[in-house]
Amino acid sequence: MQRTIFISFFFVATYMISRFISTIGEQKPRTTMLPPDLLAMDLAKKLRFDPHATNLASTDFGNLTRALPAAVLYPSSQNDIATLIHSSYSSHLPFPIAAKGHGHSIHGQAMAYNGVVIEMGSLDGKDGARINVSSIPPLFFADVGGEQLWIDVLHATLRHGLAPLSWTDYLYLTVGGTLSNAGISGQAFRHGPQISNVYEMDVVTGKGEVVKCSRQLNSELYYAVLGGLGQFGIITRARIALEPAPQRVRWLRLLYVDFSAFTKDQEYLISLNADGEGGPTNGFDYLEGSVVNDESLINNWRSSFFSKGDHRRISALAAHHSIIYFLEVSKYYSHFGGPTTVDQDVDSLLKGLSFLPDRVFSNDVSYTDFLNRVHQGELKLRAQGLWDVPHPWLNLFIPKSRILDFDRGVFRGVLKRNATMGPVLVYPMNQDKWENTMSAVTPDEEVFYTVGLLRSAADNWELLEDQNREILSFCEEAGIECKQYLPHYETKAQWKKHFGQKWNMFVDRKQKFDPKGLLSPGQRIFTLSMSEGSHDHSSY
């Protein structure tokens, strides 16, 4: 009974504090919402209230939502962040706080209406001072500021012949941002998400306390923060696991017209090292899949892999079959002055697969160029004016047992009826590479698929949002127990369903580490209006 009363009071109180309203359209931030003692501190010199600063902090990559903060903090140290949070925590008028890295969120998750947005990039030291690499065996790691971009981590670690094990497809994201979600890409089946490759962190909690945490030290905070959507603390430093870096990548795309064969081959390939035995030569180092129709291949950042002649042949095949599928795999290798067996390794791995034998596309690139492949697509889209547009993305985790149903209902149903522009990813991951004690949630099956609908909309983004809702409704009606990655929900009931058995743990951790509900209000887990059935994507 007491727990129920506390949770109800918690939701009501945090909602009253934040007082979120409609975020589409012009809003006037009110500096009066900030306590006078904060404005009297030396820290106030690092706060900006001007329209230029607040406008920059009011939008994100999604370009679907706008929420003006009262101020933006440009910290020079984690102590500045701790001072800001403690000021809010100790005030009789606490204000919401959000950490903003590269601003790559989709639905305003890094925004703080009438609160303070922390511009994490302001922490960045000169000449890579916030990236420190330890190359002393046997434990290789990099201590990295939470504001650092993964592309800069890559360059810094490569100077020592090392690199992180797990990546995201796009490297111009901050370390703190991806660790607050999970951080996934085609290496996750082998090494797990990025959150599974962190030794320790420095975190500023919702009480303004600076805490070092790891699996052994302050472990509850460690597990809460990783995949915790910014609800429990702000990551100011992370110790990232490293391994010797390869030099080159043999990069292939294999074409399929049968979805069942496509998924069967993916599941076989990720099983080769599922138990962690056998060494790296027994499987590919990277695996992703994608769904392609004739129109989705155009203005697609993944399409730069193909020549113009390839485009014509693929488009003709897509037009004939309506939908085709690509399996994208990579094998890492190094010369080191001697012969390599990459050709034999790749040929051996391809034996027995069911791709179209005359539709194998291969490239050989540097390790850096492979990992930074999306940036080339970004430059292409920027040149066409197609980067800074609305991005109504939808990312889902689908149980292996229902992926064929998802293909019939979505890839060959919803998406076939409505042409889509942009990549559509679908590839499997191994559940045992995720740690259940962390806040991130996945379907309860040994293998599950990530589906990424990474669409751009120069106009009519509302139609794509409607399509996303149609996809979610299909999953609901078909009984497909999917989970959103980079989640965006509108009601308490939806969040409770998302976290499932972890919900009570999530609430308990929130009360322990951010009891006043100050952090990451843009996620709308504890600060949104809990009215059931709301479908207004523009309201907080």
Side-chain angles (χ1 to χ4, degrees), residues 131-135 140-142 144 150-165 167 171 241-249 332-334 336 366-372:
I131 304 177
N132 297 291
V133 178
S134 175
S135 56
F140 304 125
F141 63 83
V144 179
W150 284 102
I151 183 64
D152 296 323
V153 175
L154 173 64
H155 290 153
T157 56
L158 284 178
R159 287 194 287 270
H160 298 265
L162 302 169
L165 290 73
W167 296 96
L171 300 187
L242 306 178
E243 66 176 353
Q247 294 176 319
R248 304 287 301 177
V249 176
Y332 303 161
Y333 69 100
S334 297
F336 294 122
S366 73
Y367 182 61
T368 302
D369 286 347
F370 172 73
L371 292 180
N372 201 29

Side-chain angles (χ1 to χ4, degrees), residues 312-373:
R312 288 191 293 271
R313 291 192 295 272
I314 295 168
S315 293
L317 194 66
H320 178 72
H321 289 277
S322 178
I323 293 177
I324 58 177
Y325 310 95
F326 275 106
L327 175 55
E328 183 177 4
V329 291
S330 294
K331 190 68 180 172
Y332 303 161
Y333 69 100
S334 297
H335 292 296
F336 294 122
T340 178
T341 62
V342 65
D343 293 324
Q344 298 95 309
D345 291 341
V346 169
D347 288 343
S348 176
L349 288 167
L350 295 183
K351 287 181 180 178
L353 301 186
S354 300
F355 57 89
L356 299 183
D358 58 341
R359 292 293 186 270
V360 178
F361 305 89
S362 178
N363 275 339
D364 200 279
V365 298
S366 73
Y367 182 61
T368 302
D369 286 347
F370 172 73
L371 292 180
N372 201 29
R373 61 197 179 280

Side-chain angles (χ1 to χ4, degrees), residues 207-453:
K207 298 178 182 180
E209 300 170 340
V210 179
V211 181
K212 180 181 292 185
C213 57
S214 68
R215 288 179 176 87
Q216 296 77 35
L217 178 68
N218 298 309
S219 59
E220 186 177 9
L221 179 62
Y222 170 86
Y223 290 119
V225 167
L226 292 172
L229 306 177
Q231 293 301 305
F232 312 107
I234 294 175
I235 300 169
T236 57
R237 178 189 65 91
R239 179 165 289 183
I240 307 297
L242 306 178
E243 66 176 353
Q247 294 176 319
R248 304 287 301 177
V249 176
R250 183 63 52 82
W251 182 14
L252 301 96
R253 289 189 181 172
L254 317 173
L255 198 153
Y256 293 73
V257 295
D258 180 79
F259 188 76
S260 179
F262 169 68
T263 55
K264 181 179 178 181
D265 283 357
Q266 289 195 76
E267 290 161 17
Y268 162 72
L269 289 174
I270 73 165
S271 74
L272 294 180
N273 287 110
D275 59 0
E277 298 177 357
T281 59
N282 279 13
F284 285 110
D285 298 289
Y286 163 95
L287 180 149
E288 288 190 1
S290 57
V291 181
V292 173
N293 60 36
D294 185 30
E295 293 188 33
S296 68
L297 193 63
I298 304 169
N299 295 325
N300 180 333
W301 50 258
R302 302 175 75 87
S303 66
S304 58
F305 183 94
F306 303 109
S307 68
K308 291 183 178 180
D310 292 338
H311 269 268
R312 288 191 293 271
R313 291 192 295 272
I314 295 168
S315 293
L317 194 66
H320 178 72
H321 289 277
S322 178
I323 293 177
I324 58 177
Y325 310 95
F326 275 106
L327 175 55
E328 183 177 4
V329 291
S330 294
K331 190 68 180 172
Y332 303 161
Y333 69 100
S334 297
H335 292 296
F336 294 122
T340 178
T341 62
V342 65
D343 293 324
Q344 298 95 309
D345 291 341
V346 169
D347 288 343
S348 176
L349 288 167
L350 295 183
K351 287 181 180 178
L353 301 186
S354 300
F355 57 89
L356 299 183
D358 58 341
R359 292 293 186 270
V360 178
F361 305 89
S362 178
N363 275 339
D364 200 279
V365 298
S366 73
Y367 182 61
T368 302
D369 286 347
F370 172 73
L371 292 180
N372 201 29
R373 61 197 179 280
V374 177
H375 184 56
Q376 299 305 314
E378 175 189 354
L379 297 178
K380 173 183 174 182
L381 294 178
R382 284 189 182 278
Q384 298 172 340
L386 296 174
W387 185 259
D388 295 318
V389 298
H391 296 95
W393 287 9
L394 179 65
N395 295 273
L396 301 173
F397 290 156
I398 306 295
K400 168 190 167 182
S401 63
R402 303 303 305 274
I403 194 64
L404 297 183
D405 297 324
F406 191 89
D407 173 60
R408 287 190 289 268
V410 176
F411 299 147
R412 295 187 174 277
V414 177
L415 298 185
K416 186 177 179 180
R417 296 194 305 272
N418 303 279
T420 182
M421 298 294 288
V424 177
L425 307 183
V426 52
Y427 59 92
M429 291 181 280
N430 292 309
Q431 175 70 252
D432 63 1
K433 299 298 182 181
W434 295 65
E435 296 186 55
N436 191 50
T437 46
M438 294 177 180
S439 293
V441 292
T442 63
D444 189 21
E445 291 192 8
E446 292 182 4
V447 172
F448 61 91
Y449 280 79
T450 182
V451 174
L453 306 177

